[in-house]
């Protein structure tokens, strides 16, 4: 089943008021490509202004706390993202799994909380270079997905999985299309095993140094339903050609 392509930008810890013109330009370009779903995941404090800048365009967060509310200094809840106007959130990005020691169980709890609050979720998985070189990447990543997969609220287009090999994030190194196909095929099987036919609607995104030059080949790769884009999502001049490439593969 061919799913609508989904291209999401991850601004990480980039973006202040003067960057809102990029949000506007990206939203305008996305509107011209209605066959592709496009979103920008911006810093939490920028969400409300981004939503006001581009009404109707999907703005997301980059993380949520698994609890509804409470004594969690500095954290942001799913309900707060919704209140700010967010439509989605990333959970389990490798930069958080690594720097914040997030376990699969914590990622699953975050995804369940976000879905329960009505946010769409991009759940990230991916192996280190060490794991890939040891030939353990497919087993590691499918186990990571199985352990992180929300058990509530799944099985719909509200959930997307982003396969992001850690060694390809922000490095300019891209996984080969053959490796992406192999991994996405294994992840698709994992979703079918866990969720049955309802898992068919869950989109599989690739992430890791996607740019305007390699996007077309990546979107043409079997089992690839879109991309999670970091550095190349910061400027409309880079991100819009990636959206266009996804539209070309619709
Ligand atoms: C990311 O941050 O999710 C990412 C894929 O980054 P980049 O595109 O810069 O490699």
């Amino acid at each position: 089943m061919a799913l609508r392509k989904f291209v999401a930008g991850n601004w990480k810890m980039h973006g202040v008021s003067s960057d809102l013109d990029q949000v506007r330009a990206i939203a305008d370009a996305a509107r011209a490509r209605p066959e592709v779903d496009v979103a920008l995941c911006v810093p939490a404090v920028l969400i409300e202004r981004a939503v006001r800048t581009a009404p109707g365009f999907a703005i997301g967060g980059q993380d949520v706390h698994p609890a509804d509310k409470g004594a969690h200094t500095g954290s942001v809840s799913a309900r707060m993202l919704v209140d700010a106007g967010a439509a989605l959130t990333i959970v389990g990005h490798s930069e958080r799994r690594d720097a914040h020691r997030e376990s699969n169980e914590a990622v699953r709890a975050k995804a369940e909380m976000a879905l329960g609050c009505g946010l769409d979720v991009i759940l990230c998985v991916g192996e280190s270079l060490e794991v890939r070189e040891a030939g353990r990447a497919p087993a590691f990543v499918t186990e990571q997905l199985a352990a992180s997969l929300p058990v509530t609220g799944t099985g719909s287009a509200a959930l997307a999985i982003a396969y992001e090999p850690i060694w390809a994030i922000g490095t300019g190194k891209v996984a080969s299309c053959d490796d992406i196909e192999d991994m996405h095929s294994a992840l698709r099987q994992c979703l079918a095993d866990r969720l049955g036919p309802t898992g068919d609607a869950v989109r599989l995104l690739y992430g890791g140094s996607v740019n305007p030059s390699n996007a077309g080949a990546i979107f043409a790769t079997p089992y690839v339903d879109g991309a999670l884009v970091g550095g190349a999502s910061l400027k409309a001049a880079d991100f819009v050609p990636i959206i266009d490439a996804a539209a070309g593969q619709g």
Side-chain angles (χ1 to χ4, degrees):
M1 177 178 61
L3 300 172
R4 277 170 68 83
K5 290 276 192 287
F6 179 26
V7 181
N10 173 15
W11 274 20
K12 309 192 189 194
M13 202 169 71
H14 300 283
V16 292
S17 297
S18 56
D19 298 302
L20 290 169
D21 57 347
Q22 298 301 317
V23 174
R24 191 177 299 109
I26 289 165
D28 286 347
R31 215 165 288 123
R33 296 293 196 183
E35 65 274 45
V36 180
D37 291 331
V38 182
L40 276 182
C41 296
V42 301
V45 292
L46 201 62
I47 290 173
E48 201 167 340
R49 278 171 289 160
V51 169
R52 266 192 272 120
T53 298
F57 177 68
I59 296 292
Q62 301 171 5
D63 181 49
V64 291
H65 195 280
D68 184 41
K69 58 183 171 184
H72 304 290
T73 303
S75 295
V76 174
S77 74
R79 213 170 291 283
M80 289 170 184
L81 290 191
V82 172
D83 189 49
L88 72 155
T89 187
I90 297 169
V91 297
H93 193 283
S94 60
E95 287 156 13
R96 293 203 60 90
R97 286 182 185 262
D98 183 33
H100 298 267
R101 302 266 176 277
E102 288 187 5
S103 66
N104 289 326
E105 293 67 31
V107 172
R108 187 178 67 215
K110 287 171 179 229
E112 289 173 352
M113 176 56 73
L115 289 165
C117 288
L119 293 167
D120 287 356
V121 165
I122 300 174
L123 192 166
C124 302
V125 293
E127 82 284 359
S128 65
L129 189 57
E130 189 188 0
V131 169
R132 173 147 294 269
E133 287 178 346
R136 296 192 290 113
F140 177 89
V141 175
T142 49
E143 278 165 30
Q144 196 181 36
L145 175 60
S148 311
L149 199 60
V151 294
T152 57
T154 57
S156 78
L159 178 67
I161 308 301
Y163 166 54
E164 299 206 307
I166 296 168
W167 46 271
I169 297 177
T171 59
K173 292 183 191 156
V174 188
S176 73
C177 289
D178 284 349
D179 285 343
I180 296 172
E181 180 176 350
D182 288 350
M183 186 63 80
H184 280 218
S185 160
L187 292 173
R188 183 56 67 207
Q189 188 58 52
C190 178
L191 288 172
D193 294 344
R194 293 267 152 175
L195 304 176
T198 53
D200 291 352
V202 177
R203 287 178 285 194
L204 292 177
L205 317 182
Y206 168 77
S209 298
V210 175
N211 62 42
S213 309
N214 59 30
I218 291 169
F219 291 135
T221 300
Y223 304 106
V224 172
D225 306 311
L228 182 57
V229 183
S233 70
L234 293 172
K235 298 283 178 212
D238 296 323
F239 198 44
V240 172
I242 296 174
I243 298 168
D244 292 344
Q249 294 296 329

